[in-house]
Structure formats: C-alpha cells, structure tokens
Amino acid sequence: MAPSFDNLTEDNGTYDSEEEIDFSDLKEQYDVRLEQGLDAFVVADGLPIVPEESKPKLVKFLIKQLNKAGRVKEDGFFMPVSDQGKTEGYAFIEYHTPQQAIAATKQLHGTAIDRRHTFAINKLTDIERYGREGRIDDEYQPPNIPDFQEKEHLRWWLGDPNSRDQFIMLRGDNLGVFWNKKKDPPEQIIDRGNWTESHIMWSPLGTYLATMHSKGVQLWGGPSWTRQTRFPHPLVNLIEFSPGEKYITTWSFKPIEVAEDDPFLSQDEEGKNYIIWDVATGRVLRSFHMHDLPTPPESESGQPVKKKIPWPAFKWSSDDKYVARMLEGESISVYELPKMTQLDKKPIKIEGVMDFEWAPALPQRDSVKTYEQLFCFWTPEIGSNPAKVGLMSIPSKEIVRTRNLFNVTDAKLHWQSQAAYVCVKVDRHSKSKKSLATNLEIFRVREKGVPVEVVDSIKDTVINFAWEPKGDRFVLITTAEVVMTTAVPPKTAVSFFCPEKIKGAAVGNFKHIQTIEKKNSNGIYWSPKGRFVVVGTVHSQQSFDLDFWDLDFEGEKPESEKDLTANLKHMNTADHYGVTDVDWDPTGRYVFSTASMWKHTMESGYHLYDFKGELLREEHIDKFKQLSWRPRPPTLLSKEEQKTIRKNLREYSKDFEEQDRIEEDKEKGAIVEERRRILNEWLAWREQEEEELKADRRELGLPETLDAEEEANTDGKAGGEGAVVEEIVEEVLDEIEEVA
C-alpha cells in the first residue's frame, strides 16, 4: 500500500532533490558555453602596479600597445584597483573580433612592456576552461619527472677514427647511408625500404636527415637513426633549413586543411601554404599564405609561359636571427626570430624590387662596430628611372650603397661565401635590343665606402657564375648563342678570373687568367675548400665532359701570369654519360658525378673521383635517384692552428700514407686469413672422412689404409712370375683424301 501523508516517516519527509534526480544531462545541454560569448576577451597579466592617480596614463599606454594586434573596444579595457588604492597588475580586454584576440595572444604574449615587466596575454575562455572546478587540484602535486635518459650524440659520425665521410643514396624505394671507402665498395651503415616518399635532404651542418611524407617531414639522427622530430605539414612539397639548423620552412602548393581535432595544427594554419617551425621543439612559429604569382609574359610563339614558384620564398640571415620574404615589385618583409614579429611592424617598401639575397656571413664592413646584417637587392628600370642595385643594413634599414644601371634586361646576385664581395651579373641589351652582353658589378663590401669594380670585358652572355669558396677568384661560362632547352647544348667558353698582386693586405683588381673556347660546359662546381674546381656539361645526352682544374698549381708559372694570384692547371678530363649532378664531399677530397633516373633512365648510377679527376669507382645502379654527401659543421680549430697544420702537412701526410698502407695490409691480411680458414675447414673435413673410411674397412676385414692393402698384394706375388700385359694403340697421324 502506498504511504499517505499521515504515515510518512521523518526520513521520508526530508527530500534531497540532488540525490534523487540526476540533472547532468540537462546541465550539459543548457550549460552556458563560455567560448561562444567571450572569445573576444583576453586577460593581460604582468602589468606594472601603480597608484590610482597614475592609472589613466598607464591605461593609455597599454591600449596603444594592445592595438598593435587588433582594435580594443572603447569600453573594452578594465583594470581593477585594490583596497590600497593601487592597480592589481592585470586587466581584462575586449577586442572587436575573436581573431584579434587570438592575434594578441600570439603577437604580444612574452613581449616586453618595459625593462621590468613583460606581457602575459591569454584568452579568457582558456583561463575559464582550464581553471574550472575539478580541473586543477586544490593541493599542490609535484610533477612526475622521469629519470634522465642519455640521448645519442647527433654528431657521432665526426668521431670516426679514419675521418671518413658519409653519404646517402636513394635507389628505388630503398634509402641507405654509407661510409665512403675510396676505391672499395662503400660500407653500408643502414638501409631501409620506403623511408621517404619523395626526395631527401641533409640539414646544412649534417646533424639531421630529412625525409618527405604525405603527412609531413621527419628528421632522423644519431647512430641508431631514430626519429628526432616531425613537422606535420600535409602534402608538403619543399623544405628549407636555416643556416644554423634552428628553424625549417615547409611549403605545400595545396593550402593546408586543418581538422577540428588536429593535435598539431591550429585553425590559424587553415588555408596557409608556408609554415616556419622551431626545429628543437617542433612548434609552429608562424604560417603564411602564398603570394599571387606574377603573370609571366607570353613566349615568342604566343603560348603563355608557366608560372614559376620562387624558392626559397623565405630567405635566412647568416646567423638565423632574421628571415625575409619578398612581394615582387613592392616590398621585402623582415621577421625577427624566434618571435616571428615583423621588423618595425611593417614591410620595407622598395618599388619594383625583383630579387634580394642575404649576405652568407657577417659583413664586417670597414669602421662599422655595431651588429648588422646585409642584404642586396635590385630593381629594374621604371619609366625614366634607371635600374638600381642596393645594399641595405638590418636592423637599421639603412641603404649603405646604391648603384644605377642602364639598359638592363636581367640581373643576378652572387655573394662570396665570406660576404667580402657581392657580384651583380647584369645582362644589358643594346639600344636596338637585338643583342645582349654581360657586365659584372663587383661590390667590395669590406672596403671603405664599398667601392664597385666593373668587369666589362665580357662580350657574350654569361650563363653561369661561381665564386671560389673562402676565396676571391671566380669562374664564369659565356655563350654567343641563344640558350634554349634543346638536346644539343650551345657552344660555350669557360673563363677564369683572379685578383692581381699588390703590396700589403689589400686585394687587387680582378684580372682575366684564361678562356677555354669551343666547349659545351654549363656547370661550375667548386671544392668546398677552394682551389679545385670541376667545370662540366650536365643534363645533356650529346656532351658529358668533366674538366678538373687546379688554380694553385705548384709547378712553373707562365711569365704572363706572374702578377696574378693564381696558377691555372688543367689536371684531367673525365666523362660520365648522362651526368645530371656533381657533388663534392665536405673535405674537398672526393667528388661524385651522378646520373639520376629522375632526369633520364639510361645508365643511372654514379662515378667517384678524387680531386685530381682520377676515377676511383664506377657503379651502375638500377632505379638510382639521388646521392648526397653528409655536410660537416665548421671546424673548431683556430686560424693559427689551421695554418700550423697546413705548414706541417707533408709530415702529417706520411702518417696518413702509413695508415693507408696498414689498412691495405689489413685488407690483404683479411683475404689471406679467409683463405687459411677455408683450407683448415677442408683439412678437418678430410680427416673426418678418412676416419670414417678406416672404420668401414675394419668392419669388412680389410686393412685400414689402401697403402697396406697394396703392400700385402705385392708380398703375395713376390715368389711367382709377373704378368705381362701388352696393349696396342692405333693412332691416325694424318689423313689425305684424293679426288679422281
């Protein structure tokens, strides 16, 4: 029977709604979602604490700073004041849009307010989300710190006792890393199938091996070749490391699509093409859209020319402190690392800018004692204004040198590796615009006033130019023909230049050494240590010569070159059919020429030469794609120590030759040892077989050895007559057939 009001007990009279009914589903359905209403709010912490009378002045200053990331609403700034009449050190800010609030957290968080205070900007929704009841324990719990685990040394290969170099080789779907062993087959370190989905790349100092995948980029390193980090950029096409390996740029032609639950990328990367990452943490620093490509002119046949993607789109300063990007014809944007904030919050306007290049080292200009980086840029002729080449100092944005140029068709910028010179290769047209010629405008960056030397003795068009690494000599290739993508390469000439000798430490004017006519060369490949250079013909099925040159030949010097800082000598000419690439090892001792199936399918493989052009090894490999030496970081030796080593090089070479002889003897000894092992195995087997044969003969009642049996037979026949056997053998010595 159901209880009535009269017989209800005391316990029944106390009704606890929260125990009886579960409202969790209704709370979840109707709970106010903070993100929907407060996305435009941020909390600024770390602010100065000032008296209430100073508050208006502080608020005005803070709003000015906060407006750099967006626009704060008129009544959107609230800074509480304590009972003591001072501000609390934090404030609530409302922007006009949630996007501006996100921009504020990214651009302003961690930036300096003054010498003693730093902005801490967080979205209000994040604070509410992570600070709700139950999300944070009331009592402090110390973090669980795992035990220290020593990691593998990422530059372990530099400790090889024989100072060998490594290289990677991609053939088919297999990617392998090898030790170079000169004439002998390379020693394989590791080989993995499907390690990469396209090409591969070493980082500039050789620390990491980068592999490309549809889901992003992965970096590998250490003796075990374990994955060090990854950058999840979907459908990535190209990558570029900064010179010091601190950062990496990834690019995909297809804009990035970010899923709502993506654990790596935020919605800020949605629709972007470029991402700049921090290599150490794997964190996104900033992402960018791709600029609209300029419309190229139509070809002579009237067909439109395909648009080319400029790469690298982001160019790094030599010390990784700046990265810059050009908007062709308008401006150059310079960003400071690691915060990726734009220098002075705005791009550098340069009307008509066509290209720019950072100095590859600190410039060290005369009488300049403050820190600076330089980049060189050029602009074409616009209206009545001439073309212009300029040098700009960063971070001051000061133009330190300009030079006006006339009748310019095109220009290319070539920095010397130590930033002592920058050569501007200027293609000029005649007034009728029917012929082209090339001038070299060489800026002497480290000399007072940055003087410009002009090399105008070149009558034809320069199609290739290359400075000697860490030197002041250069090689160029010219042609009088129109360069076209045909099977037959144009006739070219190779010219060598160097400074003339002058008194003191200064560098003299650049003089022509020699020109080699009637060649088909199109590639210049300097040894990374200078002095030696390979000039060859690549990407051609008709010509494939590789000429090895020495610019410091120790033999007799011609009388005409006595005043020059070079002694040119042709050492050897090699040929490699279908050669597509030439690559020096980082020590300048060996050089690979390769033929990749990415360019053609005929006789793919590689040749290995020494610096003199002597062929050490040749190997044809099916489905060979790519080969690349592992770079080395800069030496830790001082200049004085390096000079001492060069001075005593002949003494050291005796030790090296002895080590080579010992190594060769070891290899010969290994062969002898292997032969001895095989002989011992055969002797042991024979002994075992003889023992088994003796046992079998004992069971049959025969003597243990054949010698004993023959002796017994001889003793039995000693008293009788011996049997004589006569055998007649007929042999035809000659045969003549006569025809009647």
Side-chain angles (χ1 to χ4, degrees):
M1 176 174 132
S4 65
F5 181 82
D6 294 332
N7 59 12
L8 283 175
T9 63
E10 185 176 354
D11 290 338
N12 289 337
T14 58
Y15 177 72
D16 189 346
S17 60
E18 294 200 4
E19 290 183 4
E20 296 286 330
I21 303 176
D22 183 11
F23 291 99
S24 60
D25 57 336
L26 296 176
K27 285 184 177 180
E28 183 177 355
Q29 182 177 357
Y30 294 103
D31 191 18
V32 176
R33 301 181 186 275
L34 295 172
E35 291 84 348
Q36 293 181 357
L38 302 175
D39 274 349
F41 285 84
V42 298
V43 179
D45 207 346
L47 308 181
I49 298 176
V50 299
E52 189 171 4
E53 55 268 20
S54 301
K55 177 183 173 182
K57 185 178 180 181
L58 176 62
V59 169
K60 183 178 180 181
F61 171 77
L62 293 175
I63 290 178
K64 182 179 178 181
Q65 298 299 314
L66 293 165
N67 280 336
K68 293 179 179 179
R71 211 156 54 103
V72 178
K73 286 189 173 181
E74 278 189 31
D75 55 348
F77 190 97
F78 174 70
M79 179 185 293
V81 178
S82 66
D83 296 337
Q84 288 76 26
K86 292 186 177 181
T87 59
E88 296 278 10
Y90 61 88
F92 299 92
I93 299 101
E94 182 181 7
Y95 281 96
H96 279 270
T97 64
Q99 288 75 17
Q100 293 177 0
I102 294 173
T105 60
K106 290 201 167 191
Q107 296 179 27
L108 301 178
H109 183 74
T111 59
I113 302 173
D114 54 29
R115 293 183 179 179
R116 292 181 297 172
H117 300 86
T118 302
F119 266 131
I121 308 291
N122 293 281
K123 291 177 62 179
L124 181 60
T125 52
D126 289 344
I127 295 174
E128 292 290 344
R129 183 186 299 116
Y130 299 121
R132 287 177 184 169
E133 186 177 355
R135 295 286 182 95
I136 301 176
D137 294 335
D138 293 335
E139 295 184 4
Y140 170 75
Q141 299 291 337
N144 183 21
I145 302 176
D147 295 334
F148 172 75
Q149 293 182 351
E150 186 175 356
K151 293 186 177 181
E152 294 180 333
H153 201 298
L154 295 180
R155 293 184 176 175
W156 61 277
W157 86 98
L158 298 175
D160 180 63
N162 296 322
S163 300
R164 296 176 297 176
D165 281 291
Q166 293 181 357
F167 62 88
I168 48 173
M169 183 161 51
L170 178 62
R171 60 264 189 260
D173 293 329
N174 291 338
L175 174 60
V177 184
F178 301 85
W179 288 110
N180 176 35
K181 296 191 69 178
K182 305 176 186 177
K183 294 182 178 180
D184 298 321
E187 179 184 332
Q188 181 174 293
I189 303 170
I190 189 171
D191 190 69
R192 293 178 182 173
N194 300 306
W195 199 356
T196 184
E197 296 179 19
S198 58
H199 62 282
I200 44 184
M201 178 186 290
W202 291 109
S203 59
L205 305 180
T207 308
Y208 305 104
L209 173 63
T211 57
M212 311 287 288
H213 308 270
S214 60
K215 294 184 178 180
V217 180
Q218 300 189 78
L219 300 187
W220 308 81
S224 302
W225 296 98
T226 54
R227 187 175 67 192
Q228 303 300 315
T229 188
R230 58 181 174 176
F231 308 104
H233 186 150
L235 303 177
V236 61
N237 297 110
L238 295 172
I239 63 173
E240 180 77 11
F241 282 93
S242 66
E245 301 181 341
K246 293 181 181 179
Y247 312 103
I248 186 173
T249 306
T250 58
W251 170 78
S252 63
F253 181 77
K254 184 178 179 181
I256 299 172
E257 297 178 2
V258 182
E260 292 184 3
D261 57 347
D262 193 304
F264 305 106
L265 301 178
S266 68
Q267 291 299 316
D268 292 343
E269 281 68 64
E270 177 72 27
K272 306 291 182 63
N273 303 87
Y274 300 95
I275 300 180
I276 295 180
W277 309 77
D278 186 302
V279 170
T281 63
R283 185 171 60 92
V284 175
L285 297 182
R286 192 163 177 176
S287 55
F288 297 85
H289 290 284
M290 189 166 62
H291 288 322
D292 292 334
L293 298 177
T295 303
E298 291 187 352
S299 63
E300 294 180 0
S301 61
Q303 298 295 326
V305 180
K306 291 184 178 180
K307 297 181 179 180
K308 292 185 178 180
I309 304 295
W311 188 259
F314 289 83
K315 299 180 180 181
W316 301 89
S317 65
S318 62
D319 57 0
D320 290 6
K321 288 188 176 181
Y322 300 100
V323 64
R325 182 190 192 190
M326 181 186 71
L327 178 58
E328 186 174 323
E330 296 185 20
S331 62
I332 297 175
S333 298
V334 180
Y335 300 88
E336 298 179 82
L337 277 299
K339 296 179 181 179
M340 282 301 295
T341 54
Q342 199 169 24
L343 187 64
D344 294 340
K345 310 301 181 184
K346 59 183 179 180
I348 303 170
K349 296 291 184 181
I350 305 175
E351 184 182 4
V353 61
M354 296 297 293
D355 194 13
F356 79 102
E357 293 290 344
W358 285 101
L362 287 176
Q364 300 178 5
R365 288 193 297 128
D366 182 68
S367 302
V368 177
K369 297 181 180 180
T370 57
Y371 167 82
E372 71 167 354
Q373 289 286 349
L374 285 182
F375 67 72
C376 182
F377 65 91
W378 81 276
T379 60
E381 298 176 69
I382 302 175
S384 59
N385 296 323
K388 183 173 66 174
V389 176
L391 286 175
M392 180 176 289
S393 176
I394 297 296
S396 66
K397 298 183 181 180
E398 175 192 359
I399 301 291
V400 300
R401 187 69 161 89
T402 60
R403 184 165 177 85
N404 294 333
L405 305 171
F406 300 90
N407 301 327
V408 176
T409 300
D410 192 16
K412 291 289 186 293
L413 311 174
H414 300 275
W415 279 96
Q416 185 254 8
S417 62
Q418 296 173 316
Y421 313 96
V422 58
C423 175
V424 183
K425 182 181 75 70
V426 183
D427 294 334
R428 299 178 185 269
H429 56 77
S430 61
K431 292 184 179 180
S432 61
K433 297 187 178 181
K434 292 183 179 181
S435 61
L436 288 177
T438 301
N439 284 1
L440 302 181
E441 309 274 341
I442 301 177
F443 291 69
R444 294 173 173 260
V445 177
R446 293 183 178 176
E447 296 182 17
K448 187 175 182 179
V450 191
V452 179
E453 180 180 347
V454 181
V455 178
D456 55 2
S457 59
I458 307 168
K459 297 180 180 179
D460 298 325
T461 304
V462 176
I463 62 172
N464 203 341
F465 175 98
W467 283 104
E468 176 187 21
K470 302 177 183 178
D472 46 23
R473 299 173 291 200
F474 58 85
V475 181
L476 53 85
I477 300 175
T478 61
T479 181
E481 303 177 19
V482 178
V483 180
M484 301 179 65
T485 55
T486 58
V488 181
K491 290 294 181 183
T492 60
V494 182
S495 299
F496 300 83
F497 288 79
C498 73
E500 61 181 349
K501 293 180 180 178
I502 60 174
K503 294 181 180 180
V507 179
N509 293 330
F510 291 96
K511 297 295 182 180
H512 173 252
I513 306 173
Q514 188 178 344
T515 295
I516 312 301
E517 303 281 355
K518 298 180 181 179
K519 302 292 291 185
N520 297 115
S521 305
N522 55 15
I524 305 170
Y525 307 94
W526 279 98
S527 162
K529 301 297 183 181
R531 178 175 174 175
F532 303 105
V533 63
V534 177
V535 182
T537 308
V538 297
H539 304 292
S540 172
Q541 303 299 319
Q542 304 295 323
S543 180
F544 29 83
D545 291 344
L546 299 173
D547 293 320
F548 290 77
W549 295 88
D550 181 4
L551 273 76
D552 286 325
F553 180 61
E554 296 179 358
E556 187 177 354
K557 195 172 185 179
E559 188 65 31
S560 59
E561 299 176 8
K562 293 291 185 180
D563 295 331
L564 301 180
T565 57
N567 188 14
L568 186 65
K569 175 68 175 178
H570 179 247
M571 297 184 293
N572 198 7
T573 296
D575 62 85
H576 182 177
Y577 177 76
V579 59
T580 56
D581 296 284
V582 177
D583 190 19
W584 283 86
D585 86 315
T587 65
R589 294 178 293 177
Y590 306 102
V591 59
F592 272 124
S593 64
T594 58
S596 172
M597 66 165 289
W598 283 336
K599 302 296 182 180
H600 60 77
T601 57
M602 297 176 288
E603 298 188 18
S604 58
Y606 70 86
H607 290 186
L608 176 63
Y609 303 91
D610 66 5
F611 66 93
K612 302 185 300 294
E614 178 185 346
L615 180 63
L616 301 178
R617 179 169 171 77
E618 176 181 349
E619 187 173 2
H620 298 286
I621 302 174
D622 187 38
K623 296 182 179 179
F624 173 87
K625 296 178 180 178
Q626 186 180 356
L627 185 149
S628 179
W629 290 102
R630 187 172 195 172
R632 285 175 175 262
T635 179
L636 299 177
L637 298 175
S638 64
K639 291 184 178 181
E640 289 73 20
E641 290 171 327
Q642 294 180 52
K643 287 180 180 179
T644 303
I645 292 174
R646 291 192 187 96
K647 184 178 180 181
N648 301 320
L649 191 58
R650 293 188 183 277
E651 296 180 12
Y652 298 139
S653 63
K654 295 178 183 178
D655 297 334
F656 298 146
E657 290 171 1
E658 180 66 17
Q659 291 176 13
D660 290 342
R661 188 189 62 78
I662 294 173
E663 189 67 26
E664 186 176 351
D665 290 344
K666 283 183 181 178
E667 293 174 358
K668 291 179 180 178
I671 295 173
V672 172
E673 190 65 30
E674 179 66 13
R675 290 176 178 174
R676 185 178 289 115
R677 184 187 63 79
I678 295 173
L679 177 61
N680 291 335
E681 287 181 358
W682 183 82
L683 291 174
W685 172 82
R686 178 181 175 181
E687 184 179 353
Q688 181 182 355
E689 292 295 319
E690 287 180 348
E691 292 297 328
E692 292 177 358
L693 181 60
K694 288 178 182 179
D696 292 343
R697 292 180 70 86
R698 282 195 299 267
E699 291 179 2
L700 296 173
L702 299 174
E704 290 187 359
T705 63
L706 292 174
D707 295 340
E709 184 178 0
E710 290 175 359
E711 185 179 351
N713 292 337
T714 303
D715 293 342
K717 295 179 181 179
E721 296 180 358
V724 178
V725 179
E726 183 178 351
E727 182 178 356
I728 301 174
V729 178
E730 181 180 352
E731 182 178 357
V732 178
L733 298 177
D734 196 7
E735 182 176 355
I736 299 174
E737 182 179 353
E738 294 182 359
V739 180

